[in-house]
Amino acid sequence: MSETGYNFAYLDEGTKRMIRRAILKGIAIPGYQVPFASREMPMPYGWGTGGVQVTAAILGADDVLKVIDQGSDDTTNAVSIRKFFERTAGVETTTATTQATIIQTRHRIPETPLTEDQVLVFQVPIPEPLRFLEPRETETRRLHALADYGLMHVKLYEDIARHGHIATTYAYPVEVDGRYVMDPSPTPKFDNPKMDDCPALQLFGAGREKRIYAVPPYTKVTSLDFEDHPFAVQTFKQPCALCDAHDVYLDEIVLDDRGGRMFVCSDTDHCETRRGEGHRGAMLGTAPEAITAGGNSRV
Amino acid sequence: MYVAVKGGEKAIDNAHRLLASKRRGDTSLPAISTAQIAEQLALGVDRVMAEGSLYDRSLASLAIRQSRGDLIEAIFLVRAFRTTLPRFGASEPVDTGRMQIRRRVSATFKDLPGGQILGPTFDYTHRLLDFALEAAGDETAEPAIGTASDEATPRVVDLVGEEGLIEREPAPDPDAPVGDITRTPLEFPTERDQRLQVLARGDEGFLLGLAYSTQRGFGRTHPFVGEIRFGAVEVEFVPEELGFAVPMGTVELTECQMVNQFHGGQKAGGESVPPQFTRGYGLVFGQSERKAMSMALVDRSLRAAEFAEQQSAPAQDQEFVLSHCDNVQATGFVEHLKLPHYVDFQAELGLLRTLRQEYEAAPAPAEEAMREAAE
Amino acid sequence: MSTALASGFRDAAHDAQKVFRVLMDALARPTTVQPLALDLIPPAPLTPELASIALALADQDAPLWLDETLGSEPAVAQWLGFHTGAPVVSDPAEAAFALVRDPRALPPLDAFALGTEEFPDRSTTVVLAVESLEGGTALRVEGPGLPRPGTLSPTPLPDEFIDTLRDNRTLFPRGVDFIFAAPGALAALPRSSRLTEEA
């Protein structure tokens, strides 16, 4: 028991066992969405209850936890979830990607490559990649059973016919180990290649939709595409204005009402680490303090 | 010039303090007590118990107080507490036929054994704001209350069941497993036990709207109120070590038996049934006829497949109804749009800029059409 | 109460978590040997490793099946029942976890729950107590969790176990997941692992 009067990491042992059994099945069947008896959590559905349940089920006293939202450790919901585990499990927390053994994330995969000693836990709102093409669970379940993903290809192809591009920029569907088509959670497609052959275990929790799924380490994860329209990630014209990083995902910061913009790393730990190493972006000296510190919340 | 300010953490702490002070309101006024909420806002408490799926008046009252009267927030508080409670087992089914009745009405029979009991209802009040309540003191005249009979009061639909004109409930099998939607994720198509559990904790407003839609023709079920009853029933539990039922206490329930038309024919399983009325069932904690009636109407429409009826309306679609009627789930997901989505928005912005550039670089469709016509 | 019944996990939350993480790593990285150190003394012939897995994951909702060796010693079922609350079922197809003390007497694959095409997760996890994770028939596999083909050589194994593994993979995504529990260590072959050609 921790000081809160709740069990270690909040969940009771029976709930943890149920979630753990689902996680093991998810690992054995990569990309398949395992139904689980998701519990009501003390934070709202849609705010990371699936990720929180997965983290609570795998977390041990020796783990070091990092929580990010939009790539940042300091966004309010990341702060709230991190505090929840500090209170209920008393575990050590960190903002440094390299120090963490478990990283819970919403919408990003860290820029720093992950290692075999880490587990990445994704918060997932809608785990079913076919949901917006076919709203019925009975039907999508059948399509997964038959590995019938024609619907998804038709949708992507219609994009090309209409826009000249595949118009999906985040939650871009992937095929896992040549079998299941999976929703990578609403990460930008920029992060999709990081999922492929990743040394870390990737676990996905969808609390409201009551599904858990997994990508084991070193698993083939392919973004769906066409020969004449190969998958491509977002590119940015300029490097990070603070740390000068190229090939990272950037947030666009509006500076004024006259079109003033700056582009900075979405991954705040990556940005701070690079600045600590002496990398300097074009606007490092002039950017507002709230931006250089990675935080931008006020009461 | 990196500054290690953790803005989010500080902002959250401050927001919590501000909320606590807003909750208390003007401190020159006395604080409302949980007991006052339980007594004087009893129907709000009933709703929180029903949709929170936890029968505990004082906890529900506390939740209403803590949530500043936001009932969905209070329901959420109760649910999050409930989920941490250890589970000792399932009670025996409650017998509403032995209810200590406070109110009982039937719209199908003028008189019936046990009689009609109007009880505490808004039904025939004139909806005129009572400014006297606002004036000092809130004294009410002592109501005349008859002594509740200990006699069993048979349910109306069971009385008419004698003739075989109303669908019979299947005989209960004490060994049959009963689903538990809090322990097993729903799998479609669902069984009726699971559906009733979901509806019992479903959002009153959502179910009311769906029920109303069936009356307006979106999946019409020709309903009659066979009976609505409200009162207290005893809950019994059989501890494994004792082997016999012991009373645990009483709960107040509202039960609605809806009687619906059906012309007879083949059921989905191929079973042939003579012309008879069918039934829809509603049961909720506390006094809420609106919720119990809505539940009964929606229960019946969700049986469309069972009766091989044409399914075209939202209220007949179990995936649609059951996946969207939980207000804790719905409020969480709708409100999560408040969370930062910078990253996804940036991704869409990038694509849109590209599409716009290409659009502006391409010849306008009108010019293109003219050129094509000229060719 | 006998001392055998008294000794379960010393620290329910943390011991169960440790065993789970070892299992999770074993399944996530097939063929790798994951050390498991717990001082559990279950009634013979139940091994401490089988016992730890049962304590960590079995309960009312996750029934156990015991092979003949374990089933013939009533103290085993009694101990497991007391500590986990899990029903001990006689049909392996109803079990979430099958505890196999004598791998040579492993029932055929189709005796276990293999899941369905729609719900492949509704399958039995087969836990085999082995003497060692080395020195037996080399099982060379590739697939998720493995940066390059890996080899596991547990002993003893049932006859024709390679055929069983091949049949299991043919069923994918249905099938069972195998866990090998040797003294002080675990390794696993989930259904996603594929035998390599030269095996």
Side-chain angles (χ1 to χ4, degrees):
Chain A
M1 285 276 171
S2 65
E3 40 109 11
T4 57
Y6 289 101
N7 193 25
F8 176 79
Y10 176 78
L11 297 176
D12 61 278
E13 290 304 304
T15 298
K16 286 186 199 166
R17 275 193 299 273
M18 176 272 294
I19 296 170
R20 287 167 181 166
R21 291 192 296 261
I23 291 172
L24 296 182
K25 285 294 191 322
I27 291 170
I29 316 167
Y32 165 73
Q33 303 163 52
V34 186
F36 82 112
S38 176
R39 302 291 195 243
E40 268 109 357
M41 297 298 288
M43 61 268 295
Y45 282 119
W47 297 53
T49 58
V52 167
Q53 288 181 80
V54 168
T55 297
I58 66 173
L59 191 69
D62 301 334
D63 277 308
V64 180
L65 178 68
K66 172 181 165 82
V67 183
I68 50 172
D69 188 338
Q70 315 297 301
S72 164
D73 301 89
D74 199 37
T75 37
T76 41
N77 204 44
V79 170
S80 167
I81 291 171
R82 187 166 59 238
K83 280 184 102 169
F84 175 74
F85 283 113
E86 283 170 359
R87 278 183 66 192
T88 59
V91 293
E92 194 186 326
T93 58
T94 183
T95 58
T97 301
T98 50
Q99 303 290 310
T101 56
I102 296 174
I103 303 171
Q104 180 170 328
T105 181
R106 176 170 171 265
H107 293 196
R108 276 312 310 277
I109 297 176
E111 305 289 3
T112 312
L114 302 178
T115 69
E116 288 192 353
D117 301 319
Q118 294 177 312
V119 182
L120 185 59
V121 178
F122 294 77
Q123 300 171 201
V124 183
I126 302 279
E128 177 51 70
L130 305 170
R131 183 60 71 234
F132 298 110
L133 308 172
E134 169 51 64
R136 261 162 227 292
E137 169 69 16
T138 38
E139 188 58 21
T140 53
R141 186 158 288 282
R142 194 182 63 82
L143 293 173
H144 282 295
L146 298 170
D148 178 355
Y149 297 116
L151 210 57
M152 184 63 89
H153 284 100
V154 168
K155 191 263 168 197
L156 295 177
Y157 205 82
E158 279 174 356
D159 277 3
I160 294 170
R162 190 182 169 86
H163 303 295
H165 300 268
I166 292 175
T168 302
T169 58
Y170 62 93
Y172 190 104
V174 293
E175 182 191 77
V176 182
D177 193 38
R179 176 58 176 81
Y180 283 98
V181 165
M182 184 189 95
D183 183 310
S185 89
T187 49
K189 65 178 180 174
F190 181 88
D191 286 338
N192 277 19
K194 296 176 186 163
M195 307 181 77
D196 181 41
D197 205 31
C198 175
L201 169 64
Q202 301 171 76
L203 299 175
F204 300 77
R208 195 178 34 76
E209 298 282 338
K210 302 178 170 56
R211 297 289 185 272
I212 284 171
Y213 52 103
V215 174
Y218 304 113
T219 297
K220 195 164 186 285
V221 177
T222 323
S223 302
L224 301 186
D225 64 357
F226 299 94
E227 252 173 45
D228 51 343
H229 282 271
F231 173 80
V233 300
Q234 288 101 342
T235 52
F236 292 85
K237 290 196 189 88
Q238 64 284 62
C240 170
L242 299 178
C243 78
D244 201 38
H246 295 257
D247 304 323
V248 293
Y249 196 78
L250 301 177
D251 279 344
E252 180 172 340
I253 313 272
V254 178
L255 294 173
D256 53 42
D257 58 0
R258 299 179 306 277
R261 297 280 194 277
M262 67 185 284
F263 287 84
V264 301
C265 282
S266 131
D267 182 337
T268 50
D269 172 62
H270 186 71
C271 194
E272 286 166 17
T273 304
R274 281 180 54 83
R275 278 179 271 153
E277 288 164 2
H279 297 278
R280 296 184 61 83
M283 296 177 74
L284 184 58
T286 53
E289 190 177 295
I291 293 164
T292 50
N296 51 2
S297 307
R298 281 185 298 138
V299 179
Chain B
M1 47 153 261
Y2 165 63
V3 188
V5 174
K6 291 295 166 200
E9 211 153 328
K10 229 197 251 171
I12 288 176
D13 288 344
N14 284 336
H16 289 173
R17 278 201 297 276
L18 196 53
L19 175 69
S21 130
K22 280 284 180 192
R23 180 188 58 69
R24 176 59 182 85
D26 183 349
T27 50
S28 68
L29 296 170
I32 190 168
S33 77
T34 303
Q36 286 170 334
I37 293 171
E39 283 299 311
Q40 298 172 39
L41 298 176
L43 298 183
V45 173
D46 283 352
R47 180 170 175 197
V48 171
M49 294 197 302
E51 294 172 31
S53 303
L54 184 72
Y55 196 91
D56 188 316
R57 293 206 82 80
S58 59
L59 284 181
S61 306
L62 175 63
I64 291 173
R65 182 174 169 184
Q66 186 180 331
S67 65
R68 308 175 64 196
D70 179 337
L71 293 191
I72 291 182
E73 184 67 26
I75 289 161
F76 182 13
L77 286 169
V78 167
R79 289 264 193 97
F81 175 75
R82 176 195 195 276
T83 193
T84 65
L85 298 176
R87 187 171 297 239
F88 299 113
S91 76
E92 294 295 289
V94 294
D95 182 0
T96 52
R98 299 200 64 86
M99 180 184 272
Q100 294 249 326
I101 288 180
R102 311 259 159 79
R103 172 164 160 79
R104 181 206 198 200
V105 290
S106 169
T108 47
F109 295 98
K110 193 172 177 182
D111 203 5
L112 55 146
Q116 306 234 21
I117 302 165
L118 207 48
T121 175
F122 290 119
D123 284 356
Y124 305 102
T125 61
H126 295 146
R127 270 62 170 203
L128 302 170
L129 275 175
D130 182 359
F131 297 104
L133 276 181
E134 183 66 3
D138 181 9
E139 302 304 320
T140 58
E142 198 62 31
I145 300 177
T147 45
S149 155
D150 277 344
E151 295 280 295
T153 312
R155 287 167 294 225
V156 171
V157 284
D158 296 337
L159 294 172
V160 192
E162 302 284 289
E163 265 186 277
L165 292 182
I166 295 187
E167 173 199 9
R168 278 182 201 284
E169 291 294 333
D173 172 3
D175 296 326
V178 177
D180 183 343
I181 58 157
T182 66
R183 310 288 279 188
T184 316
L186 280 187
E187 180 192 324
F188 293 102
T190 51
E191 298 295 325
R192 196 172 173 208
D193 55 347
Q194 298 167 310
R195 293 202 298 265
L196 289 170
Q197 286 176 31
V198 176
L199 295 177
R201 53 157 49 185
D203 182 73
E204 180 177 311
F206 184 83
L207 295 181
L208 174 67
L210 281 173
Y212 178 45
S213 73
T214 66
Q215 290 181 284
R216 289 196 66 260
F218 286 80
R220 192 157 180 227
T221 61
H222 309 271
F224 298 99
V225 170
E227 181 182 340
I228 293 167
R229 57 173 62 195
F230 160 65
V233 295
E234 194 155 78
V235 179
E236 294 184 327
F237 181 71
V238 181
E240 210 173 307
E241 56 275 27
L242 289 183
F244 56 85
V246 291
M248 309 281 293
T250 57
V251 296
E252 287 188 331
L253 295 173
T254 306
E255 181 185 57
C256 174
Q257 298 259 11
M258 208 60 90
V259 177
N260 307 74
Q261 211 172 1
F262 172 60
H263 295 290
Q266 293 252 310
K267 284 181 77 167
E271 182 197 346
S272 171
V273 278
Q276 59 180 350
F277 288 115
T278 56
R279 292 157 72 159
Y281 186 73
L283 183 73
V284 290
F285 282 152
Q287 185 176 13
S288 179
E289 287 160 32
R290 186 185 302 126
K291 169 71 185 279
M293 293 171 77
S294 301
M295 177 175 169
L297 287 171
V298 175
D299 169 46
R300 176 59 186 83
S301 20
L302 290 178
R303 298 178 71 195
E306 184 188 333
F307 294 116
E309 293 167 340
Q310 193 194 351
Q311 292 173 69
S312 54
Q316 294 169 318
D317 183 334
Q318 45 171 285
E319 270 209 59
F320 179 78
V321 174
L322 303 180
S323 303
H324 301 114
C325 70
D326 188 293
N327 54 27
V328 178
Q329 290 176 5
T331 200
F333 202 48
V334 167
E335 295 198 39
H336 108 285
L337 292 172
K338 290 185 277 195
L339 290 180
H341 285 78
Y342 321 134
V343 164
D344 303 347
F345 186 71
Q346 187 61 47
E348 295 285 84
L349 205 55
L351 174 67
L352 200 55
R353 282 181 180 138
T354 308
L355 292 179
R356 183 59 78 88
Q357 272 170 10
E358 287 170 1
Y359 174 85
E360 274 155 15
E367 289 170 28
E368 201 168 19
M370 262 170 26
R371 205 171 53 231
E372 272 171 24
E375 281 162 12
Chain C
M1 197 182 290
S2 70
T3 47
L5 276 183
S7 56
F9 281 148
R10 286 194 186 175
D11 180 335
H14 293 100
D15 288 352
Q17 188 271 344
K18 279 183 195 142
V19 174
F20 163 73
R21 276 290 275 274
V22 170
L23 261 177
M24 183 178 93
D25 289 341
L27 274 162
R29 300 168 198 282
T31 73
T32 61
V33 173
Q34 305 284 339
L36 174 71
L38 276 176
D39 50 355
L40 209 55
I41 312 168
L46 188 62
T47 70
E49 292 75 25
L50 292 185
S52 315
I53 293 171
L55 259 55
L57 291 167
D59 58 27
Q60 296 88 329
D61 299 326
L64 293 166
W65 177 81
L66 307 179
D67 75 351
E68 208 180 311
T69 310
L70 294 171
S72 60
E73 180 53 66
V76 170
Q78 199 190 352
W79 188 89
L80 288 169
F82 178 80
H83 285 294
T84 67
V88 174
V89 294
S90 55
D91 179 0
E94 288 172 16
F97 295 90
L99 303 185
V100 181
R101 181 66 178 84
D102 178 7
R104 277 163 299 214
L106 179 74
L109 193 57
D110 58 12
F112 298 104
L114 300 171
T116 64
E117 295 291 339
E118 277 84 10
F119 295 97
D121 54 305
R122 294 179 182 173
S123 59
T124 309
T125 300
V126 181
V127 190
L128 300 158
V130 293
E131 286 158 20
S132 171
L133 295 169
E134 290 164 17
T137 311
L139 308 170
R140 192 172 158 79
V141 299
E142 58 190 6
L146 290 162
R148 64 196 75 83
T151 305
L152 185 66
S153 317
T155 184
L157 280 182
D159 292 339
E160 318 294 335
F161 188 66
I162 285 192
D163 292 340
T164 305
L165 278 185
R166 193 172 287 121
D167 293 346
N168 192 43
R169 175 64 213 190
T170 312
L171 294 168
F172 192 87
R174 297 168 66 229
V176 302
D177 307 310
F178 290 103
I179 293 165
F180 304 91
L186 302 180
L189 289 175
R191 69 192 79 178
S192 59
S193 290
R194 296 178 279 264
L195 286 161
T196 58
E197 290 309 313
E198 64 266 39

